[in-house]
Amino acid sequence: QVQLVESGGGLVQAGGSLSLSCAASGRTFTNPVMGWFRQAPGKEREFVAAIRRSDSSTYLANSVKGRFAISRDNAKNTVYLQMNSLKPEDTAVYYCAAGRYSGSYSARDYNYWGQGTQVTVSS
C-alpha cells in the first residue's frame, strides 16, 4: 500500500505561482513513476506531469510545458509540482498519483491516488 498526501493548493491570480507537494509513505519503491493529474469541473481527469523513480526523467503535458516543473526529493519521499505563469484554465483539483508503469501518462495505469488539492486561478 502507498499513501499520498498533497498540499500547497490555493487561490492565486493569473500569472502567479504555486508549489504543490506530495508526501508518499508505505511501499513507495514498488511504483516506478509518480505523477500529477488534474480535474476541472465537468471535465475528465487529465495528465499534467510525471517523474521516473529510476533516473528522475520528467514528462510534461503540452499544455503546461514551459510553465510547470515536476521534481522529487527521494530522501523525503516527496514529489513537487512547481506551477508558474498560471492561467485561469489551470483551475482544477490536482491529484498526486503513483504509477505502475514508468512510461504511462494514463490515469488508469496509476493505482494509488491522493485526496487532491484545489488550485484556483483568478483572471
Side-chain angles (χ1 to χ4, degrees):
Q1 287 287 340
V2 175
Q3 295 78 42
L4 304 172
V5 179
E6 302 101 334
S7 61
L11 173 64
V12 64
Q13 287 188 334
S17 299
L18 278 176
S19 181
L20 305 183
S21 299
C22 173
S25 60
R27 296 172 60 86
T28 57
F29 57 86
T30 62
N31 292 88
V33 66
M34 296 293 294
W36 287 95
F37 290 77
R38 66 186 182 186
Q39 188 167 19
K43 294 188 177 182
E44 292 188 355
R45 192 167 298 189
E46 65 172 353
F47 169 79
V48 176
I51 184 166
R52 286 183 177 178
R53 172 181 299 277
S54 60
D55 59 4
S56 292
S57 297
T58 62
Y59 307 88
L60 295 166
N62 288 334
S63 59
V64 304
K65 278 183 181 176
R67 300 188 298 122
F68 290 14
I70 185 172
S71 61
R72 67 189 302 157
D73 184 332
N74 290 333
K76 295 182 178 180
N77 254 355
T78 300
V79 177
Y80 305 96
L81 184 68
Q82 178 64 41
M83 306 183 292
N84 301 322
S85 301
L86 282 161
K87 304 175 181 179
E89 50 263 44
D90 294 318
T91 296
V93 177
Y94 283 70
Y95 297 90
C96 175
R100 291 175 289 187
Y101 313 113
S102 63
S104 174
Y105 316 128
S106 172
R108 63 177 178 267
D109 292 329
Y110 285 71
N111 53 339
Y112 296 105
W113 294 83
Q115 80 287 355
T117 185
Q118 176 70 46
V119 171
T120 303
V121 185
S122 63
S123 57

